[in-house]
Amino acid sequence: MTRCLILCLCMVMLSITVARAMNETCVDDITIVLQIDLYRNSCPEAESIIFSFVENAVSQDARMAASLLRLHFHDCFVNGCDGSVLLDDTEDFVGEKTAPPNLNSLRGFEVIDAIKSELESVCPQTVSCADILATAARDSVAISGGPSWEVEMGRKDSLGASKEAAANNIPGPNSTVPTLVTKFQNVGLSLSDMIVLSGAHTLGMARCSTFSARLQGSNGPDINVDFVQNLHQLCSQTDGNTRLAQLDLVSPATFDNQYYVNLLSGEGLLPSDQVLVTDDYQTRQLVLSYAEDPLAFFEDFKDSMLKMGSLGVLTGTDGQIRKNCRVVN
């Protein structure tokens, strides 16, 4: 009897351990499974290789952390996290790189190429490009002083891409709160996810052309006159539209909760950021909570990144593991 009880307890503990290590998402009655430590045996060096390349890239260009994080975001918002954003256009194929939200904006492709090349030499056709994007995003956050988390692996790479979906699905810099909420909900993310993932704008830069609407008005209770005047000065130069401004002027290379503090001071660079405190009571309250509690922001950011990273993934016999992230095998 005692032995049976011990055996039952062991089986229960094993089941709990497996459940915690795997993320099951049910889509149209098909169970999609992502798993922690998937490459422990097949490619044990995978995560350390990815980290070393990301660390080197960010050390040479601090802005690269934001760029790699953004690649994962733009990938997941277009038919799921399947590496489709990495595919190049060819004579008979149109990818997502030339879609308006991505054209002359997304960067970091060469870092992903270098990581993939190294992984292919160590463990050929084992680690997908989609998993590289998810892991590089995590590492970019951690290297910049933000939280880290266990990345769930097992994504396969897509066989195609959608320029149209990229143009329609990815939130734009002039989006209103209702538009932002709708676009996040369309892919399976909540209003709360939207607010916490927007906190990624504590890193990175934006062209003047993306926040020109912030320069139109200089009156009103929510206008930070000095901030707007400084933006005017930056963007009024001859090459104004292509000039870059930091999304977070206070700690531009550090992943922290300063983004939310900036919004409350009227220093959100993008119109789609500043509306979170000016146009909606619920979003403003969430901004306030993260401005006051950086640890809560870090914890919720980890959860929302894991949630986003599981969107629309291809697993099992769906998709493939590309040899080169820019082209289908």
Side-chain angles (χ1 to χ4, degrees), residues 132-146:
I132 291 172
L133 283 177
T135 308
R138 184 271 313 272
D139 292 344
S140 295
V141 171
I143 288 167
S144 302

Side-chain angles (χ1 to χ4, degrees), residues 119-283:
L119 287 172
E120 285 299 302
S121 69
V122 174
C123 37
Q125 280 194 276
T126 302
V127 183
S128 68
C129 301
D131 278 351
I132 291 172
L133 283 177
T135 308
R138 184 271 313 272
D139 292 344
S140 295
V141 171
I143 288 167
S144 302
S148 186
W149 58 92
E150 295 284 353
V151 176
E152 295 163 333
M153 309 284 199
R155 302 165 189 79
K156 291 293 179 66
D157 298 322
S158 70
L159 303 178
S162 175
K163 181 178 180 179
E164 181 181 5
N168 294 329
N169 294 7
I170 298 170
N174 293 306
S175 297
T176 62
V177 171
T179 298
L180 290 169
V181 171
T182 297
K183 293 203 171 188
F184 273 75
Q185 288 180 341
N186 285 345
V187 298
L189 296 172
S190 67
L191 179 147
S192 297
D193 292 319
M194 183 265 287
I195 297 297
V196 73
L197 290 173
S198 294
H201 285 175
T202 187
L203 299 174
M205 306 178 79
R207 284 187 172 88
C208 288
S209 58
T210 64
F211 57 84
S212 57
R214 289 282 281 134
L215 309 179
Q216 303 308 313
S218 57
N219 297 311
D222 299 310
I223 299 296
N224 184 318
V225 176
D226 290 340
F227 179 71
V228 172
Q229 286 180 345
N230 287 335
L231 294 180
H232 266 295
Q233 185 175 359
L234 172 72
C235 299
S236 62
Q237 301 180 39
T238 53
D239 57 347
N241 276 341
T242 59
R243 291 185 72 84
L244 296 167
Q246 300 284 359
L247 287 166
D248 173 6
L249 288 172
V250 179
S251 52
T254 302
F255 191 97
D256 53 23
N257 70 328
Q258 186 63 42
Y259 164 81
Y260 301 104
V261 178
N262 293 344
L263 295 187
L264 295 172
S265 302
E267 296 180 2
L269 184 65
L270 302 179
S272 57
D273 289 328
Q274 195 59 47
V275 294
L276 300 181
V277 296
T278 59
D279 290 13
D280 186 277
Y281 176 79
Q282 187 177 2
T283 59

Side-chain angles (χ1 to χ4, degrees), residues 91-111:
E91 289 183 0
D92 55 359
F93 172 81
V94 178
E96 297 164 14
K97 291 181 178 179
T98 55
N102 299 336
L103 183 63
N104 299 320
S105 176
L106 286 186
R107 56 199 296 272
F109 296 109
E110 70 285 352
V111 178

